[in-house]
């Protein structure tokens, strides 16, 4: 790297190692060594992030005494207190409520006190024969009907409509997922082999149902077991949501039902539906089929209001202190189920511990008069496992203006390896770095080249990635607001969301190296002359 300095009338060039320089000015009988620049300071303070300290934090955060840190539990509060006490010991400015380090977040814990479906005297079990998300359904009276309407795909589009000239207000309807296709395997709506939003977004169908006054929608899920497995993280305990616990009133109440329940509802109308399918393929003709079926559904919610805490550690900047870099991680996990404790050492005790060490290095730099130029907020959020709720709350109720927030640097699981990288811990998945800002991506690449030399794996950054990790960690609540965000992640492993995610399996050497890379990237974001550009559009799930 080459740096230029002008002192008096003499221009000197110093060639040095990446991230460093030493410049000398020659005067009569004198050689003066100029002090180190911010890149050298970056190296000095990154080296303060050490394996022993990471292990100390993580051993406490993932201990049995915290019982898995589930949001709304005493263990989660204990973790928040530990983080706040660390920030206080570092002398960080308290910018939370009541002169402290906390931002209070009100949640509702919502579950089913009772949820069942009875069809023609056959009773079906929730989470076995059907699935209804309590947070996605209004608190409503019991559903009782002698008639269910089969409404095809539940689509209302200029190219194809199941609602045209049909009155379904106050009725119970049953629909298929997906959308109609022709015999040549092209879709009626798009006219190509590419499906539309009607296939990809079930909320679009449920919104139309709500607009048309439908009382209840049953969605036929052909592989209910697989669907339940994919949604396991939302089903292991009552769901948390922000606010007082009302369901989403923009969509119709609904449940995903097995083919067995659908067959029971259809009963003797099976031939009618087969004829509908045959005609539908030929000319996209829609038809509602009214089925005389005795059906009752009981949906009783249990709602409990609880308070959680985000924890804020603020390092005030110098000449650019009105601009802010956020370094985030979630400290909650899944808690305790019976005798099993889900310690969450990797998820996300590892990311939390890294942010605590980054905060300490930044605090040391500021104490030594070395910056950072921009302010840095170390934001430890709760409620991630419940749907990114703590970060959502912060993004909707920011303590510092979002327009002044330069970037979010997010850390979620950096202490293990996945199957793809078994035996080689010197890698990290990088997600989102180029989604909004090409400069953020370049800064991280350069920091890795100069200081870490890790393998940066961008597999999960692809828009085609079926895991959709870009939308599944706390950085996305900043990205959706147009704030450039980068997410560091080492991938899932056999103990992901299981009791086996314990401290003894953590690779602390890997954690140290990744945490130092994150520090270098954060340091550059906080100290560079110009704020990074936003040159890409916001992407929605």
């Amino acid at each position: 790297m080459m740096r230029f300095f002008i002192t008096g009338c003499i221009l000197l060039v110093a060639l040095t190692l990446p991230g460093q320089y030493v410049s000398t000015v020659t005067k009569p009988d004198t050689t003066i060594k100029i002090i180190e620049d911010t890149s050298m300071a970056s190296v000095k303070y990154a080296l303060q992030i050490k394996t022993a300290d990471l292990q100390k934090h993580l051993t406490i955060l993932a201990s049995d005494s915290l019982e898995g840190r589930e949001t709304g539990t005493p263990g989660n509060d204990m973790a928040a207190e530990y983080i706040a006490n660390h920030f206080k010991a570092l002398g960080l400015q308290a910018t939370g409520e009541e002169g402290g380090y906390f931002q209070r977040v009100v949640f509702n814990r919502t579950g089913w006190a009772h949820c069942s479906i009875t069809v023609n005297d056959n009773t079906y079990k929730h989470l076995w024969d059907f699935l209804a998300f309590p947070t996605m359904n209004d608190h409503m009276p019991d559903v009782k009907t002698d008639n269910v309407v089969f409404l095809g795909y539940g689509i209302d589009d200029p190219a194809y409509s199941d609602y045209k000239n049909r009155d379904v207000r106050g009725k119970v309807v049953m629909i298929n997922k997906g959308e109609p296709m022709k015999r040549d395997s092209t879709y009626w709506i798009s006219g190509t082999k590419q499906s539309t939003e009607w296939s990809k977004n079930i909320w679009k169908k449920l919104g139309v149902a709500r607009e048309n006054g439908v009382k209840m929608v049953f969605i036929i899920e052909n592989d209910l077991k697989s669907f339940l497995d994919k949604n396991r993280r939302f089903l292991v305990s009552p769901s948390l949501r922000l606010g007082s616990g009302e369901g989403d009133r923009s969509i119709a109440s609904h449940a995903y039902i097995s083919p067995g329940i659908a067959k029971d509802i259809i009963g003797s109308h099976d031939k009618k539906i087969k004829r509908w399918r045959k005609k539908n393929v030929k000319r996209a003709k829609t038809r509602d089929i009214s089925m005389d079926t005795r059906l009752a559904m009981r949906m009783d919610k249990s709602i409990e209001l609880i308070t959680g805490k985000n924890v804020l550690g603020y390092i005030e900047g110098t000449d650019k202190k009105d601009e802010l870099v956020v370094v985030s991680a979630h400290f909650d996990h899944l808690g305790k189920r019976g005798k099993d404790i889900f310690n969450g050492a990797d998820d996300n005790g590892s990311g939390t511990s890294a942010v605590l060490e980054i905060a300490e290095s930044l605090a040391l730099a500021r104490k030594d008069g070395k910056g950072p130029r921009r302010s840095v907020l170390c934001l430890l959020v709760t409620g991630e496992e419940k749907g990114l709720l703590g970060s959502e709350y912060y993004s909707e109720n920011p303590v510092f203006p979002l327009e002044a927030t330069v970037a979010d640097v997010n850390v979620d699981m950096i202490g293990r390896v996945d199957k793809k990288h078994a035996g080689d811990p010197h890698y990290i998945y990088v997600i989102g770095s180029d989604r909004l800002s090409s400069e953020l991506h370049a800064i991280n690449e350069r920091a890795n080249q100069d200081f870490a030399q890790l393998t940066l794996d961008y597999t999960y950054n692809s828009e085609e990635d079926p895991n959709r990790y870009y939308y599944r960690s706390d950085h996305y609540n900043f990205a959706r607001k147009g704030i450039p965000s980068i997410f560091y992640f080492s991938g899932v492993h056999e103990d992901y969301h299981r009791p086996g995610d314990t401290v003894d399996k953590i690779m602390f050497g890997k954690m140290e190296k990744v945490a130092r890379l994150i520090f270098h990237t954060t340091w550059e974001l906080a100290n560079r002359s110009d704020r990074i550009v936003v040159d890409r559009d916001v992407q929605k799930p």
Side-chain angles (χ1 to χ4, degrees):
M1 183 176 295
M2 188 163 61
R3 313 275 182 158
F4 295 87
F5 302 92
I6 299 177
T7 58
C9 297
I10 302 173
L11 173 65
L12 294 168
V13 178
L15 296 174
T16 66
L17 295 175
Q20 303 179 13
Y21 70 75
V22 176
S23 176
T24 60
V25 179
T26 303
K27 291 187 178 181
D29 303 317
T30 306
T31 300
I32 301 174
K33 184 180 248 189
I34 305 301
I35 61 173
E36 60 192 4
D37 69 351
T38 56
S39 295
M40 289 183 67
S42 178
V43 172
K44 175 181 176 180
Y45 296 109
L47 291 175
Q48 300 302 310
I49 299 171
K50 298 176 181 177
T51 295
D53 294 328
L54 291 166
Q55 188 168 10
K56 178 192 72 173
H57 292 309
L58 186 53
T59 300
I60 293 170
L61 291 167
S63 65
D64 286 352
S65 63
L66 270 64
E67 296 189 330
R69 311 185 306 277
E70 184 172 14
T71 299
T73 66
N76 187 268
D77 288 340
M78 290 169 66
E81 291 289 344
Y82 177 81
I83 294 164
N85 286 336
H86 179 69
F87 289 158
K88 184 177 181 179
L90 295 177
L92 302 191
Q93 185 176 333
T95 57
E97 297 167 4
E98 300 176 359
Y101 293 94
F102 301 126
Q103 180 188 45
R104 290 185 184 145
V105 186
V106 176
F107 303 96
N108 64 83
R109 181 185 281 124
T110 303
W112 293 121
H114 181 91
C115 190
S116 64
I117 297 175
T118 302
V119 181
N120 299 323
D121 299 322
N122 296 317
T123 299
Y124 295 97
K125 293 168 54 180
H126 186 234
L127 302 185
W128 187 263
D129 302 301
F130 71 98
L131 169 61
F133 292 102
T135 53
M136 297 296 174
N137 286 279
D138 287 341
H139 186 65
M140 55 180 292
D142 295 346
V143 175
K144 291 184 179 180
T145 184
D146 292 324
N147 182 268
V148 177
V149 177
F150 176 69
L151 201 64
Y153 293 95
I155 291 172
D156 189 12
D157 190 274
Y160 172 96
S161 177
D162 292 301
Y163 286 91
K164 188 176 182 180
N165 299 323
R166 292 177 176 85
D167 183 8
V168 290
R169 189 167 300 277
K171 295 185 179 180
V172 176
V173 305
M174 184 172 70
I175 64 173
N176 287 311
K177 295 178 81 172
E179 58 187 290
M181 297 179 71
K182 303 177 184 177
R183 291 190 184 277
D184 63 0
S185 297
T186 59
Y187 289 92
W188 274 105
I189 296 174
S190 68
T192 69
K193 292 191 176 182
Q194 294 295 318
S195 61
T196 70
E197 279 293 303
W198 292 106
S199 288
K200 302 170 187 176
N201 186 0
I202 193 66
W203 313 116
K204 190 174 178 70
K205 293 185 179 184
L206 295 172
V208 166
R210 182 77 175 192
E211 291 170 4
N212 282 272
V214 172
K215 185 174 186 179
M216 185 73 194
V217 180
F218 289 127
I219 305 159
I220 303 171
E221 178 56 64
N222 291 324
D223 189 353
L224 187 69
K225 183 178 183 301
S226 177
F227 188 69
L228 287 167
D229 287 343
K230 288 178 180 178
N231 287 279
R232 179 166 59 88
R233 65 179 295 191
F234 302 111
L235 303 174
V236 293
S237 65
S239 299
L240 289 187
R241 286 294 181 270
L242 298 174
S244 61
E246 290 186 352
D248 187 341
R249 295 186 177 276
S250 68
I251 59 175
S253 295
H254 60 284
Y256 298 85
I257 62 174
S258 67
I261 295 181
K263 185 176 181 180
D264 199 358
I265 292 173
I266 292 168
S268 62
H269 300 277
D270 186 50
K271 290 182 179 179
K272 291 182 181 179
I273 291 177
K274 285 180 178 178
R275 285 197 297 272
W276 168 83
R277 286 180 178 141
K278 188 174 181 180
K279 291 179 180 178
N280 181 277
V281 170
K282 283 185 177 180
R283 57 182 185 275
K285 183 178 180 180
T286 66
R287 178 186 178 188
D288 61 318
I289 298 173
S290 180
M291 299 174 291
D292 297 327
T293 303
R294 286 183 295 109
L295 183 145
M297 184 171 187
R298 181 180 168 190
M299 304 168 73
D300 297 331
K301 280 186 183 180
S302 61
I303 301 176
E304 176 189 3
L305 296 183
I306 62 174
T307 301
K309 300 171 184 175
N310 292 334
V311 193
L312 289 70
Y314 179 70
I315 302 96
E316 187 177 53
T318 55
D319 61 311
K320 294 181 177 290
K321 65 181 180 181
D322 291 335
E323 294 182 355
L324 184 77
V325 176
V326 175
V327 183
S328 61
H330 74 91
F331 66 90
D332 65 302
H333 195 53
L334 300 181
K336 187 177 181 181
R337 306 290 179 269
K339 294 181 179 180
D340 291 329
I341 296 175
F342 293 72
N343 299 94
D346 192 28
D347 185 14
N348 182 36
S350 63
T352 301
S353 299
V355 175
L356 294 184
E357 281 298 284
I358 290 167
E360 184 165 351
S361 291
L362 291 167
L364 285 171
R366 193 175 192 283
K367 184 179 179 181
D368 292 344
K370 303 296 184 184
R373 298 178 68 188
R374 291 180 179 83
S375 299
V376 178
L377 175 66
C378 291
L379 177 65
L380 282 306
V381 297
T382 191
E384 189 271 354
E385 299 288 1
K386 307 300 182 182
L388 315 185
L389 298 185
S391 57
E392 179 185 349
Y393 185 84
Y394 180 88
S395 71
E396 297 298 333
N397 304 273
V399 175
F400 300 95
L402 294 183
E403 58 269 21
T405 303
V406 171
D408 173 56
V409 179
N410 188 55
V411 197
D412 192 351
M413 297 176 62
I414 60 168
R416 298 274 296 265
V417 297
D418 62 4
K419 288 183 179 179
K420 178 180 177 181
H421 299 90
D424 180 16
H426 302 293
Y427 77 95
I428 193 69
Y429 290 105
V430 177
I431 302 170
S433 61
D434 64 347
R435 294 291 187 103
L436 290 172
S437 173
S438 57
E439 285 187 345
L440 175 57
H441 179 78
I443 286 168
N444 187 65
E445 281 275 341
R446 187 166 60 249
N448 183 62
Q449 179 181 341
D450 289 353
F451 304 114
Q453 289 87 48
L454 290 164
T455 297
L456 303 183
D457 192 328
Y458 294 98
T459 299
Y460 295 135
N461 190 50
S462 169
E463 292 186 44
E464 305 304 318
D465 169 39
N467 298 286
R468 296 173 64 78
Y469 287 124
Y470 177 66
Y471 305 100
R472 289 174 54 184
S473 193
D474 293 299
H475 65 283
Y476 184 68
N477 278 318
F478 290 91
R480 70 186 179 89
K481 297 288 189 178
I483 298 169
S485 302
I486 183 170
F487 168 28
Y488 297 89
F489 174 58
S490 58
V492 298
H493 43 75
E494 64 272 15
D495 294 313
Y496 174 65
H497 280 190
R498 299 187 182 279
D501 185 7
T502 50
V503 175
D504 58 297
K505 298 174 184 176
I506 294 295
M507 299 176 176
F508 286 99
K510 174 189 176 70
M511 267 185 71
E512 178 188 82
K513 199 164 188 178
V514 174
R516 288 177 177 177
L517 168 62
I518 296 167
F519 177 85
H520 285 298
T521 296
T522 301
W523 185 266
E524 175 65 17
L525 290 168
N527 285 287
R528 70 199 312 264
S529 295
D530 298 321
R531 137 179 216 165
I532 59 172
V533 299
V534 178
D535 51 7
R536 309 281 169 82
D537 293 331
V538 173
Q539 296 160 323
K540 297 182 179 180

